[in-house]
Amino acid sequence: MNSLNVLLILTFTSSLTVGCASIETSTPGDPLESINRPIHKFNSQVDKAVLKPVAQGYTNLVAPEFRSCVGNFFANLDDVNSTVNHLLQGKLVGAFNDACRVVLNSTVGLFGLVDAASELGFRKTNDEDFGQTLGYWGVGSGPYLVVPFYGPSTLRDFTGRLVDGFLDPLANHKPVDERLVGTAVNVVDTRARLMPATDLVDRIALDSYSFVRDAYLSRRASQIRDGKPEDEEIEQAYPEMGASLMRRTQMRSVVFKPF
């Protein structure tokens, strides 16, 4: 298991240990809200103090063409994990498409810097991860979680994230210093791409915690259903919150994507 996943486990476990001593009344369907909210606030403060300024500098100083190459490179690595999870879900067409993308972009696309596969007809589809694979086979999402330094998740998705780490070429790359540099660049590039969405949340959300939570849950439900109507998935996973989510899911499902 890579060092990032170990850090996430230790940090999150310590947060649960502290939070369980002072659980208060929470929103129905979000039993860990009294623990999640302080972590959400902490993550927001770290983001505003460190990550967002760095991402803004990256956007202002680095040419769009170069940033596009960086994004393509990491997207190509993601396609490796997506290929495996397509297979695990029995989605052979998606697996074939993603496998072709990896081969083409890693060769013709100069190690993934250029998205040559899309130009050749193998366009990027919905990324699949192990959390989605578990959901596809009927594993419930479990409680909503906010993980320190990571963001929104669920018990199922957090577990899936750890499994995905074994398939991630970057997470398993050696030497370690190169892996850490690559991870840092990936985080900054991802944060820069999320800037319009997070700025929108800051402008219109009266309660950023519940806004992000609802957006994350509805988006994950949609991903598991491959974009099909998600009412049933949300109602089954969070029956007490279902009615509220249904009223707000259409706009919010496209606002937030986790790191």
Side-chain angles (χ1 to χ4, degrees):
M1 185 178 296
N2 65 76
S3 56
L4 178 59
N5 285 341
V6 173
L7 176 61
L8 287 174
I9 293 173
L10 293 176
T11 307
F12 182 63
T13 302
S14 63
S15 300
L16 284 180
T17 303
V18 173
C20 285
S22 59
I23 294 181
E24 303 171 357
T25 302
S26 59
T27 301
D30 186 6
L32 300 178
E33 182 174 357
S34 61
I35 302 173
N36 287 332
R37 279 189 177 273
I39 300 175
H40 172 80
K41 182 177 180 180
F42 169 76
N43 286 349
S44 297
Q45 291 173 338
V46 171
D47 179 65
K48 291 179 180 178
V50 181
L51 193 53
K52 184 176 181 178
V54 173
Q56 289 173 326
Y58 170 76
T59 301
N60 294 332
L61 297 176
V62 178
E65 296 79 9
F66 185 81
R67 283 188 276 119
S68 178
C69 290
V70 171
N72 289 338
F73 176 80
F74 290 113
N76 187 49
L77 298 183
D78 290 340
D79 282 340
V80 175
N81 183 58
S82 186
T83 299
V84 175
N85 280 286
H86 268 117
L87 284 173
L88 293 175
Q89 296 175 39
K91 300 175 181 177
L92 301 183
V93 174
F96 177 75
N97 182 81
D98 283 357
C100 289
R101 286 184 54 81
V102 172
V103 172
L104 291 171
N105 286 337
S106 299
T107 54
V108 181
L110 303 176
F111 302 102
L113 297 177
V114 179
D115 186 7
S118 291
E119 298 297 325
L120 296 173
F122 296 95
R123 299 194 177 278
K124 193 170 184 65
T125 57
N126 293 329
D127 283 334
E128 299 285 351
D129 55 58
F130 196 70
Q132 292 179 62
T133 296
L134 292 174
Y136 179 83
W137 292 112
V139 177
S141 57
Y144 175 70
L145 308 175
V146 181
V147 182
F149 302 108
Y150 179 75
S153 187
T154 62
L155 182 59
R156 179 188 64 204
D157 291 343
F158 184 68
T159 302
R161 167 70 177 175
L162 301 180
V163 175
D164 287 332
F166 290 101
L167 302 173
D168 185 356
L170 178 60
N172 294 283
H173 178 77
K174 294 181 180 180
V176 175
D177 56 345
E178 293 181 2
R179 179 169 73 226
L180 293 177
V181 171
T183 299
V185 173
N186 189 18
V187 169
V188 172
D189 181 72
T190 300
R191 181 63 183 90
R193 292 173 185 276
L194 288 172
M195 199 75 70
T198 55
D199 287 347
L200 177 63
V201 173
D202 291 339
R203 289 198 306 270
I204 70 175
L206 297 178
D207 179 7
S208 64
Y209 169 78
S210 58
F211 191 105
V212 171
R213 176 194 62 199
D214 294 357
Y216 177 82
L217 293 176
S218 60
R219 182 175 185 275
R220 290 298 286 176
S222 178
Q223 287 178 319
I224 291 171
R225 292 177 170 273
D226 292 330
K228 297 176 182 178
E230 55 190 346
D231 301 46
E232 181 181 348
E233 166 73 16
I234 293 181
E235 289 287 0
Q236 290 177 352
Y238 294 90
E240 300 90 346
M241 291 172 59
S244 173
L245 285 173
M246 288 307 101
R247 290 193 297 269
R248 295 145 74 176
T249 185
Q250 293 300 322
M251 178 178 68
R252 296 182 181 182
S253 62
V254 297
V255 170
F256 191 84
K257 179 180 180 181
F259 286 56

